[in-house]
Amino acid sequence: MGRCPSSRVYDPAAVNAYALIAIATVTVATVAIGAWGIRLVRGTSDLLVASRMVSPTQNAAAIGGEYLSAASFLGVAGLILAYGAQMLWYPVGFAAGYLALLLFVAAPLRRSGAFTLPDFCEARLASPRLRRLATAFVLFIGWFYLLPQLQGAGLTFRIVTGAPSWVGVVLVGAVVTGNVAFGGMRSATYVQAFQYWLKLTAIAVPAFFLLARWNDDGRPAIPVDDAWLAPAGGMVATYSLILATFLGTMGLPHVLARFYTNPDGGSARRTTTIVLGLVGLFYLFPTVYGVLGRVYTPELATGRNDTVVLLLPAAALGPGLAADALGALVAAGAFAAFLSTSNGLLTSVAGVLANDVLGRGRLAVWGPLPLFRVAALFAGAVPMGLALAVHGLNVSQVVGLAFAVAASSFCPMLVLGIWWRGLTAAGAAAGILAGGGSAVVAVLWTIFLPPSPGLAADLLAQPAAWTVPLAFAVMVSVSLATRRRVPGAVGAMLLRLHAPETLHTPETQRKSETSRL
């Protein structure tokens, strides 16, 4: 006879000593791998793009490491627990976004020779003002995306150890800032690649044990309620979510920065193809936690559903060594998620601050190592302060809104800049301000002044359905109105972006990159 799940007793506030050891081990391993990468740093190219020598397989694992954030490891399962199968659009969109990246952006962006996204904007459209505008949006997206990572770290640390949340925030912030400040992209590559495989193991192994327990309990039915059956926000919100996640990946600065590290455009395409497989494999498992959470931790559906991944092993297996060991493994994976994603975000933000703000686009002239380290310290301090001051944000919601801003600003600029010779700097700037600016306003409004339920609330909570088309329309119309201001070298630039790899000799590549510095 199967056991009754309700007969088990677990304490959500209990401290798992094994989990504390696991978190400490992950933290020490992160510092050790980062320190090893620091030894290989020789100059600006290592700091910003790892000397463009990262193989497709290693780069794909590193992208998976930084991309699978707190929203992926904790938030997706929590949303499925609370709202059911309709929330599967999140992982579908998160993974499918790399298909759009593969088709439209990856190889041409790598061939541009840029070091940062603002660097590409100025190289393509010959506008220092556009570069400054792009820098502002990179900083907003990076810091806004970092906020839920640090808050998730605080939540995990409090659940596992009983310590105040701020300890986890400071711990992750300090470790990541130190790694980025001294190792840059070179160090981040090794850390993130290691942490992808750790996260996959940490979420997959307990999932198999949980499925075995559910089977041993007689496969109890999954409880459903109105929240599971009712559409979440309606058709407008669903389409908006799909647009944000599918196109937002194409505009995330920290993801795009990793493609600058490939040797050439072909390697960038191969990297993207591998990422599709790695990310898709990972997203098979959060659904297991969300569904089984309805059986073993239904009370979390109306409370902190973000904690279901952390608490489910103890609830399903009951007190004992197995539950503690699996709980420790999940905690280690969650902490790896915060560390690796924060590492990638901070590397991107620090690179932009150093190269595009402090260095004014000429980082090598200003002394790369000290300048980059100052930028990294500042880049880490800002989100740490925000995470300590702002509380109660939903991890997946905040990340989804960051995707909406990226989809409404950099996605249209990249697509049109790479594939349409008629784009002008005025058109790009107007589109970024119209689409991205509207998304920023909607994001802040949703967080601080949530409106009453209705269509207006849906359009603000998930703004991509109208901000993405707005950005494209404004970019095209303003560019047509200013067609005489198309850069004179647009033909040569587009040839560089789309020419076969055999035409990109090492000498021409070196000259292009030297001009960027």
Side-chain angles (χ1 to χ4, degrees), residues 161 201 211 259 513:
T161 69
T201 302
L211 286 171
F259 289 96
E513 293 180 3

Side-chain angles (χ1 to χ4, degrees), residues 77-99:
L79 288 172
I80 293 173
L81 167 67
Y83 303 109
Q86 57 201 318
M87 291 296 105
L88 288 174
W89 282 118
Y90 273 97
V92 168
F94 288 154
Y98 281 95
L99 180 59

